[in-house]
Amino acid sequence: MKLSSTLRAALAALMAFTGLAFSSAARADSGFVTLTIYKAGWIIGGSGGSGVLTFRGRSYALSTGGLDYGLVFGGSKTVLRGRVSNINRPSDVAGVYGAAGAGLAVGRGARAIVLTNQKGAVLELTGHQVGLMANADLSGLAITMR
């Protein structure tokens, strides 16, 4: 059975597109992130801090900031460390990460979170939180390169 030239061209384009999609996903890399975030609030809260991305043997300074809305009371310092995956360049870690969560920290407590930004970067972080903080809120965290 002979395929028409239009159908052959469409199949060739589809195979090329599929190959491109898989090759760009195969090139995605991972790095290591450390973030220190200070958070305070009463109903509406805010957070800010800094961090470091280590990617392909180089370090990049990061800044964080965000807003929380819901039940937010108190203040805390959170230090998170972990992996960032699905990035092709350091700037892929920059973006807005959203989360809904609840927690209570009196003194020192453990913390773990997985976040994704609009570029597909995935942060898998664990660490500790120190302070007096009770929250059941929606929060957004923006990470920028410095």
Side-chain angles (χ1 to χ4, degrees), residues 12 17-19 26-27 33 49 52 54 56-57 68 74 80 83 86 103 117 121 126 130-133 146:
F17 177 74
T18 304
R27 282 186 270 137
V33 173
V52 175
T54 304
R56 295 181 181 160
D68 305 299
L80 299 168
R83 194 180 106 151
N86 200 32
N117 73 5
T126 60
V130 178
L132 172 60
M133 174 64 74
R146 285 198 278 167

Side-chain angles (χ1 to χ4, degrees), residues 75-135:
S76 68
K77 173 187 175 185
T78 305
V79 178
L80 299 168
R81 292 178 178 86
R83 194 180 106 151
V84 58
S85 59
N86 200 32
I87 59 174
N88 294 307
R89 62 191 65 80
S91 61
D92 287 347
V93 77
V96 177
Y97 298 82
L104 174 65
V106 178
R108 185 178 176 113
R111 193 80 181 161
I113 193 163
V114 177
L115 300 166
T116 303
N117 73 5
Q118 72 278 12
K119 297 174 190 172
V122 178
L123 293 172
E124 300 171 49
L125 306 171
T126 60
H128 65 274
Q129 184 174 17
V130 178
L132 172 60
M133 174 64 74
N135 68 301

